[in-house]
Amino acid sequence: MADESAESAEPLLAGLRVVETSRSVAGAYAGRILADCGAEVILREPEGGHPLRARGPLFAFLSAGKRPSPGDVDADVLIREWDDLPGPAPAGPVTVDISPWGSAGPWPGQGRPWTDFTLQAECGSLRLRGVPDSYPLMAGGRPAEWVAGALAATAALAGVRGGGTARADIPLLGVNAYVTNLFVDALSTLTGASREPVVMRRRLSPSVEPTADGWVGFNLASAQQLQDFMILIERPDLLEDQELSTHAGRYAREKEWTAAVHAWTTRHTTAEILERAALFRIPASPVLSGATILRDPHVVARGFYVDDATGTFKHPAVPFLFDGRRPRAAPAEPGGSEPRPRPGKAGGLPLAGLRVLDLGTWWAGSFTATLLASLGADVIKIESTRRIDGARVLGGDPSAEQWWERGYFFLGINHNKRAITLDLTQPEGLDVLKTMIAGADVLLENFAPRVMENLGLDWDGVRALNPSIVMLRMPAFGLTGPLRDRVGYAQTVEQYSGLCWVTGYPDGPPVNPSGPADPMGGANAAAALLAALHRRAATGQGMLVEAPLAEAALTMAAEQVIEATATGVVPGRAGNHAPGFAPQGVYRCEGAESWLAISVATDAQWAALRAITGLPRWHEDASLATYDGRKAQEDLLDRELQDWASTRRAGQTAEELLRAGVPAAVAADPRFIHDHPQLGWMFEEVGHPVAGKIRLPVVPFAYDGVASWSVLPPPTLGRDNREVLSEVAGLSPAEIDDLIARGICGTHP
C-alpha cells in the first residue's frame, strides 16, 4: 500500500464547481468534504458574515480549500443552508438545502426558533441519555450537524452522477432523530410498547469505567464478549448468573454489578486493561480528550492531526484515503464564471445501474449500503448462516419463531437490498463471491482488516479479479497503525475520539452520546465512495477507498483539538450548558417524565423569557441583560427555571415560549417519534414477512422525485439466494441446490 501521508496524483473531483452558502457546521462540512476531494468550492457568506467566524479556528478549519465568492458564478452544485424554509431550487445545478425542518410538514415557514439543543429534545434523543435519578443529557459536540454535512455531500455527488439536475432536502431535526435515537421507535412498534411514560436513561454496562489512572471504555456486542469480560475482571463465578447475562438484569442489580467491575478496573491502569482486553478481542478504548488524543500512538502513526496553514492550531486530516493516500484539495484560486456544461437529467434514481456487494455489518457499513440502495443502486447484502449480521440479534426475542428476523436495529438500517448467504470459509462459497466481484462496481465491507486478508480479498486480491471495481473498506481504526487489528464499534470510537469526553454531567464520568459515530462513519464513507466513482467514470480505473470509523468520529470531535491547540483550553463536560447559550437546560414539569428544554442564544430571547417567567430577580439584576452576565450565573438560572417550570405543563409552556421567540421544546418520547407532526415523513410502513406491518425510519432526507424511500423491505436471511446466485453469479438451479444441501448458503442461522 502506498504511503498514506502522500498526496494523491490528481483531485478526484477536478472540474466540479460548488457554491456553498452555509451557516453552521452542516453546510460548511459538506463543502469541506467536496473541497478535500478536489472540487472548486466557492464560499458565499451570508450578510453580516458567517456565524462560525465567532468560533475562530473552527471556521478556519472548515473553510480551508475554499475561496470567497467573486459575485455570481455558475456552478455544478449549490449547497444552501437556511434558518427556516429552503428557498426555491434554481433550474440546472444539483441543489442541496439544509434547514431545521426541511420544506415539507407543518413547521417550515413559521419562523419557529430553534437551536441544536432544542432539536435534540424535539427528536427524542435527550431522554435516552443520562441516569434515571438526574436530568436528561444532550450529546456534546453537535453531532447531527456533522452527519448532516456528510449526507449533504453524498446527496450532491449522487445528483452529479445522476445527470446534474436534482434537489436534496436535509432537515436537521430528521437527521437528529436518525442519528441518536437508536431505532427505539422501531423497537416500540415491534413490541407494542405502552404509551405510559417511562424513564429511558440507562448507561450501557460496562461502558466508560474508571481506572487507576483515567478512564477506559468497553462495548460488548455479543454474549461471548460478555462472558470474556467476566473472565477479564476475574469474576468467573458470574458466568453462572443468568440474570447478569442480560442488560435488564445488570440494570436491576446495577450497584452490585458496577462494584464488581470497578473493583477490578480501578486496580489497573488504562494501558494494562487495554492490553488484556485485546487478548480477548473485547472492544475497548482509552477515553481521550482533545489534548490526550494528540499523544495517542495510533493517530501519530497515521499522521492524522496536522497544522493549519498559519501554524496556530492543529486539526484533523481528511478522514478517508484513496489508494492509500489522503486526498489533496484543489487550490483555492479564482476560477472563471463561464457556464458549466451539464448533461440532461437521467431517468430514475441517480445510482441506477450501479451494482454493490454489501459485506457491511451492524450500523455503519449497513447504512452506507442503504444510502446507495435508496438512491437506486442494486445492493446485494451478503451474510453467512454461520455468521449473520450482528444487528439481527439486537433486541430480538430469542424465544420467538425466526428471532433473527425481528432485530429492530437490522430492520431499521437495511432497506432496499437483495440478500444472499454464502459461507466464505468454504472454498465453494468464496469462489461464488469472487465470481460476483468480477462483475460488480463496488465491494463494501467494515470488518477488522484481517478478515478480508485471510480470505485473500485484500485490495490486491480484489483488484486482480476486477481492475475497475471500487473497494470501500471501513475498519474501525484503519488499515495501518498500531490499532489496525482492534475491533471497534460506534461506542468504542466515541470513547476514543473525545465525543464521550464532552458528553456528561459536570461532576460525572464521560458518557457515550448514543451512537452518532456509526451514521457519521457511514455517511462519510458514502461521500468518499461516490467521489471515487466520479473519478472512475473519467478513467475507467478502480480504486481502494479507506474510510475508518474512528477517523470519522475524530472529525466530528474536531473542535476539541482545534480549541485545545489554539487556546490551551480543553473542553470538558458541562451537562446541557454550551458556549454561546445561557441559560440552556431541561427542566422537569408537571407529570411523569415531562421535561421542558429551553435554549437562549440572544439578548432578545432572554428578554422574552424574562417577561414570561416574571421572576423579579431577573428584572432587578442588570448584569443578566448580557450573555456574559447570564453565563456567570447559569447554574443559578437553572435552579430558578426549574422552580418555575415544576408547576407548569411542558407542552403549553413550550408553545408560549416559541410564540415569544424563545427556542424551546418538549423532550419527546423517542419510542413514538414516528407520530411527531414534523417527522412522520421519515417513517414508512413496510410489510415484512416475519415482523409484519411496521413503520420504520428511512433515509433522513428528501430527494427530488423520490416519493417513497422504502422499495424493498429489510431482507430476511438469504431471501434472494436463488435469484441472485442465478442472475449475478451465473449458477444453475442444480448448482444452487448443491450449495444449499451442503450448508454453504441457506435461510436459517
Side-chain angles (χ1 to χ4, degrees):
M1 184 176 295
D3 176 9
E4 68 189 33
S5 64
E7 294 180 337
S8 57
E10 185 174 353
L12 277 73
L13 300 181
L16 191 73
R17 182 181 295 158
V18 178
V19 171
E20 171 204 323
T21 54
S22 62
R23 295 174 178 272
S24 77
V25 165
Y29 183 55
R32 174 72 202 244
I33 289 176
L34 299 175
D36 283 337
C37 291
E40 177 194 5
V41 178
I42 299 167
L43 176 59
R44 182 174 293 157
E45 296 192 44
E47 188 175 346
H50 202 296
L52 286 180
R53 284 190 177 275
R55 291 159 76 178
L58 179 65
F59 175 76
F61 165 61
L62 288 170
S63 60
K66 306 172 186 178
R67 65 181 180 88
S69 171
D72 290 337
V73 295
D74 207 16
D76 304 293
V77 174
L78 296 180
I79 295 173
R80 308 187 302 176
E81 196 166 357
W82 308 85
D83 287 331
D84 191 351
L85 183 68
V94 175
T95 302
V96 181
D97 284 321
I98 304 168
S99 64
W101 325 117
S103 56
W107 288 1
Q110 292 185 3
R112 189 182 184 95
W114 62 279
T115 68
D116 175 74
F117 180 66
T118 61
L119 292 183
Q120 290 194 34
E122 196 77 62
C123 80
S125 74
L126 213 62
R127 284 179 55 181
L128 291 171
R129 209 175 294 109
V131 295
D133 58 355
S134 191
Y135 55 84
L137 274 174
M138 72 174 184
R142 305 163 73 97
E145 289 188 11
W146 292 93
V147 181
L151 287 172
T154 298
L157 291 175
V160 170
R161 181 179 176 87
T165 54
R167 177 172 177 266
D169 188 2
I170 299 181
L172 293 174
L173 178 62
V175 175
N176 262 286
Y178 189 90
V179 163
T180 51
N181 276 17
L182 297 175
F183 301 99
V184 296
D185 40 72
L187 176 61
S188 72
T189 305
L190 278 170
T191 60
S194 166
R195 293 275 176 167
E196 288 298 313
V198 295
V199 178
M200 303 183 70
R201 296 182 297 285
R202 300 283 188 183
R203 70 184 290 269
L204 287 172
S205 186
S207 179
V208 175
E209 314 296 348
T211 70
D213 61 350
W215 302 94
V216 68
F218 297 101
N219 179 56
L220 307 185
S222 69
Q224 182 64 57
Q225 288 173 352
L226 175 61
Q227 293 165 11
D228 290 341
F229 181 78
M230 290 174 175
I231 300 296
L232 174 72
I233 65 171
E234 300 172 12
R235 290 297 304 271
D237 56 301
L238 301 179
L239 292 169
E240 305 303 319
D241 193 322
Q242 291 301 310
E243 188 175 25
L244 290 181
S245 70
T246 67
H247 288 294
R250 295 196 294 280
Y251 293 150
R253 295 161 59 185
E254 183 176 7
K255 289 185 179 179
E256 174 192 352
W257 167 253
T258 301
V261 173
H262 290 182
W264 185 81
T265 61
T266 56
R267 295 200 314 268
H268 300 279
T269 66
T270 301
E272 290 169 347
I273 292 171
L274 294 172
E275 183 178 1
R276 297 186 189 193
L279 297 175
F280 287 96
R281 289 184 179 165
I282 294 173
S285 172
V287 180
L288 300 174
S289 71
T292 56
I293 187 65
L294 291 168
R295 302 191 296 272
D296 179 75
H298 185 73
V299 297
V300 171
R302 287 180 63 83
F304 187 67
Y305 289 104
V306 297
D307 290 323
D308 87 301
T310 66
T312 56
F313 64 90
K314 290 186 179 293
H315 62 79
V318 183
F320 36 77
L321 299 86
F322 301 101
D323 285 341
R325 302 182 180 95
R326 300 197 190 272
R328 59 182 175 90
E333 298 174 353
S337 59
E338 69 279 358
R340 312 291 291 172
R342 297 190 191 98
K345 184 172 182 178
L349 291 169
L351 302 187
L354 194 72
R355 175 161 292 160
V356 178
L357 303 183
D358 171 19
L359 292 170
T361 62
W362 289 100
W363 195 357
S366 293
F367 180 47
T368 301
T370 294
L371 280 172
L372 303 177
S374 298
L375 290 165
D378 175 20
V379 174
I380 300 169
K381 186 173 183 68
I382 303 170
E383 299 172 81
S384 166
T385 57
R386 291 163 57 97
R387 186 189 176 101
I388 61 175
D389 186 337
R392 287 188 179 273
V393 305
L394 193 60
D397 179 357
S399 66
E401 184 180 358
Q402 291 184 276
W403 53 265
W404 60 92
E405 305 296 1
R406 302 174 188 271
Y408 69 97
F409 235 84
F410 183 89
L411 293 173
I413 52 178
N414 281 287
H415 289 275
N416 301 325
K417 302 176 183 180
R418 298 196 284 175
I420 66 171
T421 53
L422 287 173
D423 184 350
L424 301 181
T425 66
Q426 301 299 315
E428 296 86 350
L430 186 58
D431 286 344
V432 172
L433 177 59
K434 289 179 176 179
T435 298
M436 295 173 66
I437 288 172
D441 297 292
V442 173
L443 175 64
L444 175 160
E445 60 88 16
N446 65 325
F447 301 124
R450 58 183 169 76
V451 174
M452 297 299 282
E453 291 160 9
N454 289 344
L455 295 172
L457 293 177
D458 59 2
W459 174 231
D460 288 339
V462 168
R463 180 170 49 185
L465 296 169
N466 182 350
S468 65
I469 199 168
V470 175
M471 184 179 188
L472 172 61
R473 305 195 66 182
M474 303 168 61
F477 292 97
L479 297 175
T480 62
L483 297 182
R484 76 179 297 271
D485 292 318
R486 288 282 179 92
V487 176
Y489 301 93
Q491 291 89 337
T492 315
V493 299
E494 287 165 8
Q495 293 154 1
Y496 178 76
S497 65
L499 290 172
C500 286
W501 192 260
V502 293
T503 302
Y505 300 106
D507 56 351
V511 173
N512 275 103
S514 303
D518 265 342
M520 175 66 173
N524 229 41
L529 173 64
L530 290 176
L533 287 168
H534 183 86
R535 182 65 180 158
R536 189 188 75 156
T539 66
Q541 294 299 307
M543 183 172 287
L544 171 65
V545 181
E546 178 187 345
L549 187 65
E551 293 188 354
L554 289 164
T555 300
M556 208 182 328
E559 191 168 11
Q560 291 184 55
V561 168
I562 291 170
E563 185 173 339
T565 54
T567 68
V569 176
V570 181
R573 294 173 293 288
N576 291 324
H577 295 164
F581 304 91
Q584 177 169 280
V586 62
Y587 310 101
R588 189 186 294 275
C589 294
E590 279 190 351
E593 276 301 281
S594 180
W595 299 91
L596 171 68
I598 298 173
S599 179
V600 171
T602 68
D603 293 342
Q605 290 170 359
W606 164 254
L609 175 64
R610 183 182 59 190
I612 289 173
T613 61
L615 296 176
R617 191 188 77 83
W618 290 11
H619 290 270
E620 295 163 2
D621 188 341
S623 71
L624 295 178
T626 67
Y627 166 75
D628 288 341
R630 296 191 297 274
K631 198 69 177 174
Q633 297 187 43
E634 60 184 343
D635 290 334
L636 175 57
L637 294 177
D638 278 343
R639 293 194 293 272
E640 291 169 329
L641 275 170
Q642 178 55 76
D643 289 343
W644 173 78
S646 62
T647 59
R648 300 179 67 92
R649 295 282 184 180
Q652 294 173 358
T653 306
E655 287 303 318
E656 183 181 1
L657 291 167
L658 289 165
R659 285 194 299 270
V662 180
V666 175
D669 189 331
R671 298 174 300 163
F672 307 108
I673 205 68
H674 44 262
D675 293 333
H676 191 290
Q678 191 56 37
L679 286 171
W681 65 270
M682 207 177 81
F683 295 83
E684 297 181 11
E685 186 171 85
V686 172
H688 190 272
V690 177
K693 285 189 176 180
I694 177 174
R695 292 187 73 189
L696 293 172
V698 290
V699 173
F701 61 89
Y703 190 86
D704 192 20
V706 178
S708 173
W709 280 120
S710 185
V711 178
L712 292 174
T716 55
L717 188 66
R719 180 190 64 193
D720 305 294
N721 278 337
R722 290 190 178 277
E723 175 184 286
V724 170
L725 293 177
S726 171
E727 172 194 322
V728 180
L731 300 184
S732 68
E735 289 172 319
I736 297 171
D737 288 340
D738 182 59
L739 291 177
I740 293 171
R742 296 168 61 189
I744 292 169
C745 69
T747 56
H748 291 70

